[in-house]
Amino acid sequence: MHIDVTGSGPALVLIHGWALHGGIFAPLVQRLSPHFQLHVVDLPGHGFSRDDDTPLRLPYLVNAIAAATPPAVWCGWSLGGLVALHGAATLPQVRGLVMLAATPRFVRDADWPDAVERSVFEQFGQDLEQDYRGTLERFLALDVMGSQHARSELRTLREALVARGEPAPRALHEGLALLDRSDLRGALPGLRVPGLWIGGQRDRLVPPNALHRAAALAAAGLHTAHTIDGGGHAPFLGHADDVAGRLQRFVAACT
């Protein structure tokens, strides 16, 4: 698994979302590397880890990242949030948890209404077989839908998608299955590390209500949630200063 290491100071691990790679965090890396040692992950099948055939299953991913990084705060965006949350629930070396436009459950059900219909992930899986590149393009459009800076964010996501080579089809299917089947809500009450949940006000994949509800399930007083006005599903692109500032304060408080 490829992990870029840059900067100096307390360690912060950054874990990207579906179909992309660690390069998408460039705005955060630029702002945070003077303050922290950043460990920016390319998940198996993505970016410079495209040929890594480690299964996209939480125990495998968490153990691989932990073996290659020091004790740190883990920050996961979107699908990467599932990895970060599982790590915080199972590994003592995770010193804090940041969920960036991420939720313990991405699929809607009767007691978790602020999420995506299962049919959305099923349709993406079917479409990948028929139109690989078109399906990725539609997903990127969904990432920025509603965002105050949608046009510029979409351009950044398109450029990032191919900057390190296209993701492996196997990894895309496994990632969709992870989003579809994971439910980590049960891990939240037992977390003993501080947590920060950051979401976009206009996010169509992870509505801000989901983040606030999830933070409330964690141990009282340890987790807080913040909504970025005008932000979409990738708020660290259009609102990088705001997100980086919140991350800087949180990580500093955890160390």
Side-chain angles (χ1 to χ4, degrees):
M1 186 185 298
H2 178 85
I3 300 178
D4 280 327
V5 181
T6 185
S8 60
L12 172 61
V13 174
L14 298 176
I15 309 168
H16 64 84
W18 187 77
L20 288 156
H21 53 76
I24 196 63
F25 289 122
L28 295 182
V29 170
Q30 178 185 2
R31 290 162 175 79
L32 296 175
S33 57
H35 309 284
F36 307 111
Q37 183 184 75
L38 303 176
H39 298 258
V40 187
V41 175
D42 279 1
L43 290 172
H46 299 77
F48 295 140
S49 298
R50 191 182 194 279
D51 295 330
D52 184 335
D53 59 2
T54 301
L56 260 69
R57 299 175 188 168
L58 295 178
Y60 292 99
L61 299 175
V62 164
N63 289 335
I65 294 170
T69 59
V73 173
W74 285 24
C75 171
W77 169 52
S78 194
L79 178 147
L82 292 172
V83 182
L85 176 52
H86 187 77
T90 58
L91 297 175
Q93 78 180 63
V94 180
R95 302 293 174 81
L97 170 68
V98 180
M99 298 288 281
L100 187 53
T103 174
R105 180 176 173 84
F106 281 82
V107 173
R108 181 181 304 170
D109 66 14
D111 63 347
W112 194 252
D114 298 306
V116 177
E117 290 287 353
R118 170 164 278 113
S119 59
V120 172
F121 292 123
E122 292 174 346
Q123 189 63 54
F124 273 118
Q126 295 169 14
D127 290 348
L128 279 173
E129 301 293 342
Q130 306 298 324
D131 183 8
Y132 175 88
R133 289 178 178 82
T135 302
L136 293 180
E137 175 69 20
R138 287 191 292 276
F139 188 82
L140 297 185
L142 189 58
D143 275 349
V144 304
M145 187 179 295
S147 171
Q148 186 178 33
H149 305 288
R151 184 172 298 179
S152 63
E153 291 176 7
L154 182 57
R155 183 168 58 251
T156 299
L157 290 171
R158 283 171 172 163
E159 293 170 353
L161 180 65
V162 297
R164 299 185 180 181
E166 291 182 338
R170 170 199 64 84
L172 294 179
H173 284 287
E174 290 184 2
L176 286 176
L178 195 62
L179 290 167
D180 181 22
R181 299 169 188 169
S182 297
D183 185 355
L184 300 184
R185 287 177 293 175
L188 293 172
L191 288 181
R192 292 297 177 261
V193 298
L196 174 64
W197 301 67
I198 302 175
Q201 175 197 14
R202 301 178 179 181
D203 192 339
R204 303 295 178 85
L205 290 170
V206 180
N209 283 349
L211 276 74
H212 287 267
R213 292 184 65 189
L217 292 174
L222 280 179
H223 287 230
T224 58
H226 298 278
T227 301
I228 305 295
D229 289 342
H233 190 57
F236 56 90
L237 296 181
H239 302 80
D241 288 338
D242 192 350
V243 174
R246 294 183 186 279
L247 273 169
Q248 184 177 343
R249 292 188 292 273
F250 176 77
V251 177
C254 290
T255 56

